[in-house]
Amino acid sequence: IFIFNNCASIGYPPGGEADNSPPVIVNISPPENSINISDKQSIQIVFDELLDPGFAHLAIKVEPLQNIKIKYSGNKIIVNPVTNWIDGSFKIIITRILSDYSLARNTLLHPVEILYSTSSDLYSKTYNGSIVNFENGKYYEIAMIDNEGNIISKTQSDYKNNFSMSLLNEINNNCFFVAVENTTFKNKISGNLNDDIRKNRYAISSK
């Protein structure tokens, strides 16, 4: 659950050359990988240009799932917990639906993961991979699945159809990755693996 607040009214900047570049993060506060943050800490993510307010709130996810409030202002996104951040590690995920406010609506080239911990420990292990037999111009949602079919974490492919996923806890069981075609940016991996595979184009890779 999220609460979204757009506190600014913006318009297209007049004149100038066409903007064909995606927004880039220029500042994160507190810095990523910070530990011992307050359980009520406000997280601010600043970009180098104005963002499209129509999709800014949809682009922000948190793992593990918890209720958040999202405030948007020009080129800044502020994320707060509705009550408290969980005890331990969590990550803010910015998906590729986020775009600038230019006429081209340039979206991110890759998703962003920002890790934090409210404790003195921050475990992180990164898995990298690539999608094969992909179609150019398509987006893919990737999930790590355990041997019981439970989703451990999710991310998206980048513009070259590679992916990178940071886990917040050590995994002892065998896992595999499922990649599902996603052209609408909506959540395509539902948690029901049989339905996901039956209804969507997919690929599977072992850990």
Side-chain angles (χ1 to χ4, degrees):
I1 298 173
F2 61 81
I3 300 171
F4 175 62
N5 179 28
N6 178 8
C7 64
S9 177
I10 59 178
Y12 295 109
E17 297 181 359
D19 180 0
N20 296 311
S21 300
V24 175
I25 294 175
V26 294
N27 187 60
I28 301 173
S29 179
E32 55 185 320
N33 299 319
S34 292
I35 59 175
N36 292 319
I37 69 169
S38 166
D39 62 3
K40 298 185 183 298
Q41 176 69 54
S42 177
I43 296 170
Q44 299 188 28
I45 307 160
V46 182
F47 290 82
D48 64 344
E49 58 182 321
L50 296 177
L51 303 174
D52 182 352
F55 291 97
H57 65 293
L58 297 174
I60 306 299
K61 312 291 181 185
V62 179
E63 287 188 5
L65 183 65
Q66 53 191 304
N67 296 338
I68 57 175
K69 296 181 291 184
I70 302 170
K71 184 178 180 180
Y72 160 81
S73 178
N75 65 334
K76 181 187 298 184
I77 295 175
I78 303 171
V79 185
N80 289 285
V82 170
T83 53
N84 304 304
W85 293 118
I86 64 167
D87 184 19
S89 301
F90 66 95
K91 63 180 176 180
I92 306 291
I93 303 168
I94 308 175
T95 64
R96 294 184 62 194
I97 191 174
L98 187 70
S99 70
D100 61 23
Y101 203 62
S102 68
L103 290 171
R105 291 299 199 272
N106 303 296
T107 59
L108 297 183
L109 295 179
H110 56 81
V112 177
E113 295 185 336
I114 306 169
L115 278 61
Y116 293 106
S117 179
T118 54
S119 71
S120 58
D121 296 316
L122 177 59
Y123 174 88
S124 175
K125 183 174 182 179
T126 302
Y127 292 85
N128 299 303
S130 300
I131 300 173
V132 296
N133 297 325
F134 59 84
E135 293 184 44
N136 290 326
K138 298 291 181 67
Y139 293 86
Y140 295 85
E141 184 173 0
I142 296 102
M144 177 183 275
I145 311 289
D146 66 18
N147 54 13
E148 296 180 351
N150 300 309
I151 295 176
I152 299 171
S153 185
K154 292 194 292 186
T155 187
Q156 292 175 324
S157 60
D158 65 17
Y159 75 108
K160 292 183 177 180
N161 284 300
N162 299 317
F163 68 89
S164 179
M165 179 186 294
S166 298
L167 295 190
L168 301 174
N169 297 289
E170 187 173 359
I171 302 299
N172 297 318
N173 298 324
N174 291 327
C175 299
F176 57 92
F177 291 96
V178 173
V180 173
E181 181 183 309
N182 187 346
T183 57
T184 63
F185 287 112
K186 294 180 179 180
N187 184 12
K188 288 290 186 178
I189 298 181
S190 66
N192 186 326
L193 191 58
N194 289 330
D195 281 352
D196 292 335
I197 291 175
R198 180 170 59 86
K199 295 178 181 178
N200 301 285
R201 293 172 56 88
Y202 70 93
I204 296 177
S205 175
S206 61
K207 172 182 167 184

